[in-house]
Amino acid sequence: RRFVWWKLCVLTLILIGAAFLQKTELLLLFGIKANFVLALFIVYAFLVDSVPYVLFTIIALFALSFEGFFSLTTLGLFVVALVLFFLRTYLPWRRPLVLLVCVAVGTVLFYLIVNPPFLLLSPTTVFLEFLYTGCIAVASFFVLDSFFHS
């Protein structure tokens, strides 16, 4: 299938919007905030081919980095985005289920890189964040999939 670069620009703008949303207290659900950026990286892994995805990931993380390009958060998101891009090709299930598995793996891997003690000290919060991020990822996938393949 032919990749359309303008769609990558639209996806980048959506991701930048999600990053700004991530920095606010909007959409807190009982004190839990979804990882909107992680959800979109996972969704994009299903929509974009390998070379554009890697380029998109690098450009997006550079554009989204509020703490400097080589912050631990930026590095964590980059590693998670690439791992999940390759992981999704090896999971043989239906896409919504694979999305949720990728969100679970991505959430745990992200915290292992950025803040390992948080996984042990707040497992309920991590689980609720996974559920919230999973809902965002599945909903985003269905909306963006129809846009991307139109």
Side-chain angles (χ1 to χ4, degrees):
R1 86 188 155 184
R2 189 172 152 272
F3 182 77
V4 182
W5 287 98
W6 70 267
K7 290 184 179 182
L8 185 63
C9 292
V10 171
L11 294 177
T12 302
L13 290 174
I14 292 169
L15 186 68
I16 289 170
F20 284 113
L21 186 62
Q22 190 77 43
K23 295 291 182 178
T24 70
E25 298 300 315
L26 296 173
L27 301 179
L28 272 178
L29 191 61
F30 302 109
I32 304 295
K33 185 185 299 188
N35 192 332
F36 301 107
V37 174
L38 178 64
L40 288 177
F41 273 130
I42 293 167
V43 169
Y44 292 0
F46 288 86
L47 301 176
V48 181
D49 295 325
S50 59
V51 172
Y53 182 79
V54 171
L55 289 173
F56 164 77
T57 303
I58 292 168
I59 291 167
L61 287 174
F62 181 72
L64 299 175
S65 181
F66 298 107
E67 304 156 3
F69 187 68
F70 294 107
S71 71
L72 192 55
T73 302
T74 303
L75 177 64
L77 279 171
F78 182 72
V79 168
V80 170
L82 293 181
V83 166
L84 294 177
F85 179 79
F86 293 106
L87 175 66
R88 60 105 175 119
T89 61
Y90 295 105
L91 298 175
W93 314 304
R94 295 191 169 270
R95 282 190 172 176
L97 181 58
V98 173
L99 277 168
L100 291 176
V101 169
C102 285
V103 169
V105 170
T107 300
V108 171
L109 184 57
F110 178 74
Y111 281 119
L112 281 174
I113 294 168
V114 175
N115 188 1
F118 187 69
L119 288 169
L120 297 174
L121 297 174
S122 301
T124 304
T125 302
V126 173
F127 180 72
L128 292 173
E129 181 183 319
F130 151 70
L131 291 177
Y132 193 7
T133 303
C135 291
I136 298 295
V138 171
S140 298
F141 174 77
F142 286 115
V143 170
L144 292 173
D145 186 46
S146 62
F147 160 77
F148 201 81
H149 291 105
S150 61

